Amino acid sequence: MTTSLWICESCGWIYDPAEGDPDGGIPAGTAFEEIPEDWFCPVCGARKQDFEPYEG
């Protein structure tokens, strides 16, 4: 299974599981599916459900 990137539909920020979101409490190596539901985009504050798989 490949770990996929996810893009914020609101601002275009891309969540990369290899990098995580350390400022948001998400350590590097965390799959998007494992992020808590109350997490939000570090750039624009969009909710997790506002992200979609990114086919780069």
Side-chain angles (χ1 to χ4, degrees):
M1 177 180 152
T2 58
T3 306
S4 59
L5 302 175
W6 288 72
I7 187 166
C8 177
E9 295 176 328
S10 297
C11 74
W13 182 78
I14 295 175
Y15 175 76
D16 182 350
E19 297 177 13
D21 176 24
D23 293 340
I26 309 299
T30 302
F32 189 79
E33 294 80 3
E34 297 173 0
I35 296 173
E37 290 302 317
D38 62 355
W39 176 82
F40 53 87
C41 178
V43 174
C44 72
R47 300 165 301 166
K48 181 181 175 184
Q49 55 263 40
D50 294 326
F51 280 71
E52 63 180 20
Y54 178 68
E55 307 296 335

